[in-house]
Amino acid sequence: AAGARDTRASEARTITLEELAAPPPARAPATGTLFPAAAAPRAADVAATLQFYSAGAEARAADATEANAEAEPASGTPRLGYAIAQLHGIYLLSQTTEGLIIVDIHAAHERIVLERLRRQFSQRELPRQPLLVPAVLRASEIDVAVVEEDQAEIASLGLELDVMSPTTLAVRGVPALLARGDPAALARDVLDAWQSPHRADAVATRHDRLLATMACHGAVRANRALTVPEMNALLREMESTPDADFCNHGRPTWFRLTLAEIDRWFMRGR
């Protein structure tokens, strides 16, 4: 059991935030049914299965609990447990010694990206990824004026913008952590946030707000299918990230359901 945990931990460390944010690979379309037509369960089979489970469910549950306790001792199980599945491409399901953890994947990853951007920015070590081909976007007169006036300050956030014409901007570099995203969309959102009514905020507050805007572009998107090692990597990152219990907007990133709560749903032990 200890060897299995070590294997999962080593797999998790091989997954990077950049890989989590990568576009999903092409997938075959779903068939739309759980069973092929020839393998659809018959009513008699379903009835027999229900009778089988009702006859010995308690004993098998006790055996499974004892086996799990031996395989995953409480002292060696991480706080957020181990991933077991992904739900609708949005939520991560993780088994812990107490029950089940449900994680909002995008919200949790967004917090992780934000904290990493904050750390790099505060240490003046925010690496920039130059673009081989600049991303060109149409811009308003105000956008152009902002870039001309605050180009150096924007560049301190890892975003390199140049004025190409009175109506065109070019993105020549982005923060390395966000290199897999859409550079034009990132530039638009940063410029919009720069011109928001909070423009008069203290510099530190404005920078933090802009980093939060940028973090959203680096977070894994909904419907991105994750492997079990990728999901475990996300859980381990959450455990080591400050304030990972809440997203950048103050919403919770995960909830716990205890076995006792789940048992009450099914009226077990009554």
Side-chain angles (χ1 to χ4, degrees):
R5 284 195 304 278
D6 292 343
T7 299
R8 278 178 289 190
S10 64
E11 287 177 333
R13 286 194 294 273
T14 66
I15 306 300
T16 66
L17 290 177
E18 292 79 2
E19 290 171 315
L20 283 179
R27 302 175 64 193
T31 61
T33 178
L34 291 177
F35 302 98
R42 296 175 300 172
D45 295 334
V46 173
T49 301
L50 291 175
Q51 182 178 5
F52 169 78
Y53 274 100
S54 62
E58 293 290 344
R60 284 189 298 278
D63 292 342
T65 300
E66 182 178 351
N68 286 339
E70 295 175 357
E72 299 287 0
S75 60
T77 302
R79 181 172 67 95
L80 296 181
Y82 291 112
I84 56 176
Q86 186 176 8
L87 181 64
H88 290 290
I90 301 173
Y91 300 105
L92 183 163
L93 306 183
S94 175
Q95 179 175 301
T96 70
T97 53
E98 296 84 13
L100 179 72
I101 294 288
I102 304 175
V103 177
D104 183 329
I105 296 172
H106 175 79
H109 193 211
E110 187 177 358
R111 167 59 73 175
I112 292 169
V113 175
L114 172 60
E115 293 303 328
R116 183 169 292 188
L117 286 172
R118 279 174 170 169
R119 183 171 64 253
Q120 293 175 344
F121 180 76
S122 66
Q123 296 172 352
R124 298 296 186 267
E125 296 177 354
L126 210 163
R128 183 184 307 163
Q129 174 63 55
L131 300 182
L132 183 62
V133 179
V136 178
L137 65 148
R138 294 187 61 82
S140 67
E141 292 182 3
I142 297 178
D143 292 333
V144 171
V146 165
V147 172
E148 290 177 337
E149 180 180 349
D150 298 324
Q151 188 175 36
E153 191 174 354
I154 295 174
S156 71
L157 298 170
L159 186 62
E160 184 180 355
L161 300 178
D162 274 343
V163 176
M164 301 287 289
S165 77
T167 59
T168 309
L169 295 174
V171 185
R172 298 191 181 278
V174 297
L177 199 58
L178 313 180
R180 292 179 180 268
D182 182 339
L186 173 63
R188 288 191 189 97
D189 284 354
V190 168
L191 289 172
D192 286 345
W194 199 275
Q195 301 165 42
S196 72
H198 302 287
R199 181 68 171 82
D201 286 349
V203 173
T205 303
R206 184 169 73 249
H207 284 164
D208 198 64
R209 183 161 41 81
L210 291 167
L211 291 173
T213 298
M214 295 164 66
C216 184
H217 286 265
V220 61
R221 315 308 295 182
N223 298 318
R224 161 76 157 88
L226 302 180
T227 65
V228 170
E230 285 176 328
M231 290 188 281
N232 280 322
L234 181 65
L235 293 171
R236 303 293 80 80
E237 287 276 3
M238 289 176 65
E239 290 166 348
S240 62
T241 298
D243 301 320
D245 294 344
F246 297 92
C247 76
N248 305 349
H249 314 288
R251 297 188 297 268
T253 57
W254 62 276
F255 279 101
R256 175 186 287 113
L257 292 173
T258 66
L259 279 176
E261 291 172 313
I262 297 173
D263 285 345
R264 283 198 295 270
W265 293 351
F266 293 95
M267 295 183 285
R268 291 175 60 87
R270 296 186 183 180

